[in-house]
């Protein structure tokens, strides 16, 4: 007996085959496994390249080029995802490039090959990220933008913690042999690809989640002519301002070691603690975002200003507290900031917006690292004053950003 047409359509809906929360959790598991792979590799990139004969200049250039590629190439991959609508294809291709590059990095016996693979891993992130964030944004329309992105970020951070610890353990057991330490990461890499193909088969059209729960909204002039909404650009300016005043962990750890507050061996432990705070902060602010809206983001400039005021003291307890505050700010940056983009930009232009947003964050991060690093060497009181002033500007920009949370 043939089923009624209405039942056939219901069976085809992604939400009928997998609930939106399950999709978010499974996609978060993909990110957990992928972070297991590439954060494990990134934790030893410097020593690995050095073992192949790289100078400090080569290490700096190669890792810097990788980060530039990871952010800058999203300006290309974002519009490509919107134009082709091949979100799953780009996400899978990007993850595949990353999880293949890492085990090969352990087998590279010459410096030039290792350098190419380090950059290739970062290119994989650039290829997948706008498409991945767009796929995730559709499911979070049903779960709540803040909570959905927060759960994804929390799962992501588990991989970022476990991967480096596993690599460190294998290095200890093998006498610092990089081949087995990176080769073992092929196992979670294979799991990433298998899980992605399974998810695509179960939910071929995640946009249906958003269509199911989002009423048709009036078309704005910006949407009609293909431009990104004006509110997106104001929000990007807010993000640029608050990120420009954000100290990097590199500068924080430099202060801790140079002032003899911590030994170098304790720095990774503090970083791991900061990542744990990152996950908790993401979950907390994501929940608040869904209840209170974008005004919860005022916490980000407040935390950014608090980082420099606390972390650059000469009292170990206060400096460590500042580093943990840094972790809380990172949690907001990696989750709730991305969630807001989805509320600002219509689905048809969202991957482009994520690509541009990543470019803004990358440029501001570079400026912030240079600003905080330079002013740290000049005067810490001046550094604190300048960062606080920038964060006041960020609060003003956030206040004039109108977010339509449909």
């Amino acid at each position: 007996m043939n089923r009624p047409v209405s039942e056939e359509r219901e069976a085809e809906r992604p939400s009928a085959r997998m609930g939106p929360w399950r999709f978010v959790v499974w996609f978060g598991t993909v990110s957990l496994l992928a972070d297991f792979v590439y954060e494990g590799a990134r934790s030893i990139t410097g020593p690995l390249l050095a073992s192949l004969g790289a100078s400090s200049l080569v290490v700096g250039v190669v890792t810097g080029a990788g980060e530039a590629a990871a952010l800058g190439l999203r300006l290309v991959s974002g519009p490509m995802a919107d134009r082709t609508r091949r979100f799953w294809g780009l996400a899978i291709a990007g993850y595949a490039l990353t999880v293949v590059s890492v085990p090969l990095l352990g087998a590279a016996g010459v410096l030039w090959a290792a350098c190419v693979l380090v950059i290739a891993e970062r290119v994989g992130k650039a290829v997948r990220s706008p498409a991945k964030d767009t796929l995730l944004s559709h499911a979070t329309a049903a779960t709540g933008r803040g909570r959905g992105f927060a759960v994804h970020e929390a799962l992501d951070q588990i991989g970022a913690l476990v991967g480096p610890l596993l690599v460190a353990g294998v290095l200890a057991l093998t006498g610092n042999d990089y081949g087995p330490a990176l080769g073992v990461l092929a196992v979670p890499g294979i799991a990433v690809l298998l899980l992605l193909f399974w998810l695509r088969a179960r939910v071929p059209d995640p946009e249906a989640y958003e269509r199911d729960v989002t009423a048709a909204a009036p078309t704005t002039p910006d949407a009609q002519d293909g431009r990104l909404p004006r509110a997106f650009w104001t929000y990007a300016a807010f993000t640029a301002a608050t990120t420009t005043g954000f100290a990097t962990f590199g500068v924080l750890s430099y202060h801790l070691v140079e002032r003899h507050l911590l030994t170098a061996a304790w720095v990774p432990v503090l970083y791991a603690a900061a990542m744990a705070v990152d996950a908790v902060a993401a979950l907390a602010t994501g929940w608040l975002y869904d209840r209170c809206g974008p005004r919860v983001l005022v916490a980000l400039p407040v935390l950014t200003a608090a980082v420099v005021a606390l972390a650059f003291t000469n009292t170990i307890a206060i400096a460590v507290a500042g580093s943990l505050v840094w972790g809380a700010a990172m949690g907001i940056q990696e989750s709730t900031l991305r969630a807001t983009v989805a509320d600002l930009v219509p689905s048809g232009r969202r991957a482009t917006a994520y690509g541009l947003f990543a470019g803004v964050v990358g440029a501001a991060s570079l400026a912030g690292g240079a600003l905080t690093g330079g002013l740290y060497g000049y005067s810490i009181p001046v550094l604190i004053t300048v960062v606080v002033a920038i964060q006041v500007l960020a609060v003003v920009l956030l206040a004039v950003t109108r977010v339509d949370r449909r």
Side-chain angles (χ1 to χ4, degrees), residues 118-146:
V118 168
I119 295 174
E121 184 275 309
R122 294 284 83 192
V123 171
K125 186 171 181 65
V127 170
R128 70 177 178 263
S129 289
K132 177 203 71 176
D133 285 343
T134 302
L135 291 170
L136 184 61
S137 74
H138 296 317
T140 60
T143 64
R145 299 279 193 210

Side-chain angles (χ1 to χ4, degrees), residues 329-356:
M330 278 295 297
I332 300 174
Q333 282 191 353
E334 294 294 327
S335 60
T336 314
L337 277 185
R338 290 159 52 215
T340 309
V341 172
D343 278 333
L344 285 167
V345 180
S347 176
R349 296 283 288 163
R350 199 169 290 160
T352 298
Y354 275 121
L356 289 169

